[in-house]
Each structure stands twice: as C-alpha cells, then as structure tokens.
Amino acid sequence: MPVSAATTTKLREAMQRLLTGEPFLTDGALTKENLAREAGVSHATVHRANNILAEWDAKVPRQVLRTPGEVRRDENIDDLRKQLREAKRQITELNGKLDALATVAANLYQENQTLRRKQGQRQRLATLPNPD
C-alpha cells in the first residue's frame, strides 16, 4: 500500500534535514529509523514508501552508523582504554617489584635478628674482667 502525498512530503523534508545535518528530532545519524522519527511517521510507513527509500538509498549508499560526535567519543574511549591497559601493566610490574622488595626486607630482618642474637651471645660469653 503506497503512502499519501502528505507523508511523502514529510519524508522528503525529513530526508533533506538529515542530509544537510540539521535534524529537529534526532541525533542526525543517517538511518532509516531516524528518517521515520524526523518525519514523524512509523518505521513501517517508511518501508512502504518505496520511492522515498529508493531516493534515500541513492543519496546514502552506505549507511553511516555513527555521527561525528559518536566517532570522537569512541576514539576517546579507545584512547582511555589504551591508557588504562598501560596503567594496569605498570601496576602489575610495580606490584611484582614491591613483592620482591618485601621478600628482601623480610630476609634482611631475619638476618638482622640472627646477627643480633649472635652478638648478644658473644657479649655474654666474652666479657672483659674488671681491672680493679
């Protein structure tokens, strides 16, 4: 069932607004769903308007799924994910070094305790006589 002349006019005006980057009701992405929203008609109505769909496909041969703002956002997210991966790598490396240093410190503490015990035993065994 074809669409009315009024609906065709709405769809053409909506298509023009989307193609010029001046949408009223949508985010501006060049999708058929946005075409329907921008025209104020249902998605099914858009698919019944075969002549409008043919014009749309001719003007938008490859659908752009993301707006420039979405592209920038996604690039920022990618950059932040790279930074996060690098930070996690550094944290893992530093945690390994921290564990190694904690082990060294524990060993030095034990050695220190052993040496103190030995030193204390020597002092008790080898006291010098009083020259009185």
Side-chain angles (χ1 to χ4, degrees), residues 2-15 35-36 39-42 44-49 51-52:
V3 295
S4 68
T7 301
T8 301
T9 301
K10 285 182 188 179
L11 287 167
R12 280 202 174 98
E13 290 171 356
M15 184 187 322
L35 177 62
V41 299
S42 72
T45 300
V46 171
H47 285 282
R48 283 195 320 267
N51 57 343
I52 297 294

Side-chain angles (χ1 to χ4, degrees), residues 20 23 31 47 63-64 66 77 79 86 93 96 105 108 110:
T20 59
T31 63
H47 285 282
Q63 287 187 352
V64 177
R66 299 182 304 168
I77 289 171
D79 289 342
E86 177 60 21
E93 180 182 331
L108 289 173
Q110 290 300 322

Side-chain angles (χ1 to χ4, degrees), residues 7-67:
T7 301
T8 301
T9 301
K10 285 182 188 179
L11 287 167
R12 280 202 174 98
E13 290 171 356
M15 184 187 322
Q16 187 61 35
R17 288 194 304 271
L18 286 171
L19 292 173
T20 59
E22 299 172 352
F24 294 146
L25 305 171
T26 64
D27 61 4
L30 298 178
T31 63
K32 291 175 185 172
E33 184 175 337
N34 277 352
L35 177 62
R37 284 184 188 158
E38 194 68 29
V41 299
S42 72
H43 196 68
T45 300
V46 171
H47 285 282
R48 283 195 320 267
N50 294 328
N51 57 343
I52 297 294
L53 285 180
E55 288 177 35
W56 178 264
D57 290 339
K59 292 179 181 181
V60 185
R62 183 178 59 106
Q63 287 187 352
V64 177
L65 299 178
R66 299 182 304 168
T67 64

Side-chain angles (χ1 to χ4, degrees), residues 98-113:
L98 183 62
D99 289 344
L101 289 173
T103 302
V104 168
N107 287 337
L108 289 173
Y109 176 78
Q110 290 300 322
E111 288 177 18
N112 191 352
Q113 292 298 93

